[in-house]
Amino acid sequence: MRVIKLGINTAMPTCRPFNTLLPEFRAGRDTPRAALERHLQEVAGMDALVRAFRSLDVAAARRDADAATQRWKAGAPLSEIDGMVIGVKDIIDVAGFPTRMNSPVFEQTAPAFQDASCVRAARRSGAVILGKTETAEFASGNSAPTRNPHDLKRSPGGSSSGSGAAVGAGMVSAAFGTQTQGSILRPASYCGAVGYKPSFGVLPLSGIHPVSGSHDHLGALGASVADTWNLCRAVSDFCPGAGHKGLAGKADPVRPARVAVMRMAAFDELEPGCDAIFEAMLGRLSDAGVVVDCSTKAALPANLVKILNGIFDASSGMMGWDMRWPYAGYAARWPGLLGEKITGLLAQAEQTTLAQYREWLSLRDAALAQLVALRNTYDAILMPAASGPAPKGFAFSGSRSFQVPWSFMGAPAWSIPGLSVAGLPFGVQIAGFVGGDDVLVGHAAWLEQALVQ
């Protein structure tokens, strides 16, 4: 296999992916407690500036890491994530931690009395929960206080800001995130992490504060495809989303035979030089034996592109309609305490009719029909994961144009680090077909190897 090397930023201190430590644990040359201490060194050295964490419980993490160490020494680990140090986005309940959601409404809230289902599943598999990571307001409004670990003057992306920054800086091996429009894939791209947004509904949302019932996805960010997948597999094995069979299989690399490049209007938003870097990457994938179809003239890809170019108002409109509960109640109870974006979505929802909402659902059905029609022709779809490196400043957390299609359709997608622009991370997005997560993970793992080895 030909290896692609396109300017990875190697200056950022990172801990090794957790999956690469498992042979060391088995041989007794390393331990989960030692791995935790390495992560804590990164936290001590960086988090005062990066501000990835809302709250920490180092003592509990050390106890859990010690317990994992004993299980590995006894040859009886609970799973492939036993001892993995993780963060949890602060819209997800963790017993003993307040869920503040970066909102003054919940600043004085009491600690949660039980874990969200995903957190409980991670604990049962041996994960070590270090703390709660920062989020944009209610995962949809004002920016988090987090800074990009690669450049403190730049956004980490939202809304899983702290999760992306914590992984990108090596403070944790993986972290739970959520995505309503672009909230996993965008921070993953900006922070140099792997990001995985599963098919809609595959992972449970119980214990997670809602944003939009039609768009919300639970997923993860990690130091590798394997780490990210293994964390999500642990959740799925314990409690898949209602009505879903759950995830299956391992993150073993499988080269895709044929991929489509969906050249949507979003490509017009690419920062200078990014399109050329992306095209060079496509050429090298072709050299590695992948058939790369960049044609926009073929009927099926062109039809899908046409629909996807028109979904953005529909996506935001559906969000606002869905957010009437509980946010309209918050606005009435605490006037003036909700951010401008959330207030605007609620105002838009007041002008939305059920007939309009049904039209948006029909548009989604049309997009899905076109996507399904591609399934027998392509193994996956490639696009940039974002419009470029992280933007400067913190008022704007970056365009969502490259991520919204997969949230809107509910199809699985990964952001894979491997490209860089002026030393800053720039991810590649590989997307698949609804319910095809088990296949897509193999292609994502192959792309990871092709980009960074």
Side-chain angles (χ1 to χ4, degrees):
M1 178 183 72
R2 180 169 177 175
V3 172
I4 299 168
K5 295 182 179 179
L6 289 174
I8 294 298
N9 180 4
T10 57
M12 176 57 54
T14 57
C15 296
R16 285 173 56 188
F18 186 78
N19 67 293
T20 67
L21 301 179
L22 302 188
E24 307 298 313
F25 293 167
R26 293 189 184 100
R29 293 188 294 267
D30 198 359
T31 67
R33 174 59 186 268
L36 169 63
E37 295 302 323
R38 294 193 292 271
H39 287 298
L40 290 175
Q41 287 179 1
E42 300 292 354
V43 172
M46 298 194 65
D47 200 46
L49 297 173
V50 174
R51 301 172 70 184
F53 282 96
R54 182 65 172 84
S55 50
L56 295 164
D57 191 339
V58 174
R62 283 177 167 146
R63 288 195 299 269
D64 291 344
D66 286 342
T69 295
Q70 292 306 311
R71 290 191 292 270
W72 280 101
K73 286 182 177 179
L78 296 174
S79 74
E80 290 185 315
I81 67 165
D82 198 351
M84 177 189 283
V85 180
I86 69 170
V88 180
K89 184 177 180 178
D90 194 24
I91 67 164
I92 302 172
D93 286 344
V94 178
F97 287 85
T99 304
R100 296 189 177 97
M101 299 175 280
N102 192 24
S103 168
V105 170
F106 288 93
E107 183 59 35
Q108 302 302 320
T109 192
F113 73 92
Q114 69 173 342
D115 291 330
S117 56
C118 61
V119 175
R120 186 179 180 201
R123 286 195 201 273
R124 283 169 57 101
S125 298
V128 175
I129 295 170
L130 182 55
K132 302 292 289 291
T133 56
E134 294 281 12
T135 176
E137 177 199 16
F138 292 118
S140 58
N142 292 338
S143 296
T146 308
R147 303 298 185 246
N148 192 303
H150 295 265
D151 183 344
L152 296 174
K153 296 180 181 179
R154 294 178 183 264
S155 170
S159 62
S160 303
S161 310
S163 292
V167 173
M171 299 183 201
V172 293
S173 291
F176 284 122
T178 61
Q179 177 158 315
T180 302
Q181 288 188 310
S183 296
I184 291 173
L185 301 175
R186 179 176 50 184
S189 181
Y190 290 167
C191 295
V194 170
Y196 169 45
K197 184 206 74 66
S199 292
F200 181 74
V202 165
L203 296 184
L205 295 173
S206 48
I208 300 176
H209 195 275
V211 178
S212 165
S214 65
H215 280 60
D216 287 351
H217 298 71
L218 169 65
L221 303 93
S224 67
V225 169
D227 286 353
T228 311
W229 178 255
N230 288 341
L231 177 58
C232 291
R233 270 294 311 271
V235 175
S236 174
D237 288 351
F238 173 64
C239 50
H244 287 268
K245 296 179 181 178
L247 304 174
K250 296 189 177 225
D252 294 330
V254 178
R255 186 184 68 184
R258 188 181 190 94
V259 298
V261 177
M262 305 299 284
R263 290 198 69 89
M264 296 170 48
F267 274 77
D268 295 337
E269 299 181 10
L270 284 173
E271 297 290 329
C274 291
D275 203 346
I277 290 171
F278 182 73
E279 288 294 327
M281 183 273 302
L282 294 178
R284 293 174 183 178
L285 290 184
S286 181
D287 290 345
V290 180
V291 176
V292 179
D293 187 352
C294 297
S295 173
T296 57
K297 297 180 180 178
L300 287 175
N303 288 342
L304 180 57
V305 167
K306 182 178 179 181
I307 294 173
L308 293 181
N309 282 340
I311 66 170
F312 297 95
D313 287 344
S315 176
S316 293
M318 290 173 72
M319 275 184 61
W321 177 274
D322 296 342
M323 289 174 69
R324 293 177 303 168
W325 189 93
Y327 297 94
Y330 294 165
R333 176 67 179 81
W334 295 286
L337 291 188
L338 298 188
E340 181 180 351
K341 181 181 176 183
I342 293 175
T343 302
L345 286 168
L346 290 174
Q348 177 184 341
E350 289 299 314
Q351 308 302 317
T352 299
T353 65
L354 179 59
Q356 179 66 72
Y357 193 79
R358 286 172 172 164
E359 287 181 12
W360 293 331
L361 290 174
S362 295
L363 182 63
R364 184 173 67 181
D365 290 343
L368 282 169
Q370 292 296 319
L371 182 65
V372 169
L374 299 178
R375 196 163 197 157
N376 292 329
T377 305
Y378 300 105
D379 294 317
I381 297 166
L382 290 179
M383 299 168 65
S387 56
K392 291 183 179 179
F394 308 101
F396 178 55
S397 57
S399 170
R400 300 183 298 275
S401 297
F402 281 105
Q403 307 99 35
V404 167
W406 316 109
S407 298
F408 183 72
M409 294 188 293
W414 290 79
S415 177
I416 306 298
L419 310 184
S420 68
V421 179
L424 296 169
F426 175 44
V428 178
Q429 186 173 196
I430 182 167
F433 303 95
V434 176
D437 302 60
D438 305 349
V439 174
L440 184 64
V441 65
H443 301 322
W446 181 87
L447 182 61
E448 176 185 47
Q449 284 190 353
L451 289 174
V452 302
Q453 280 189 349

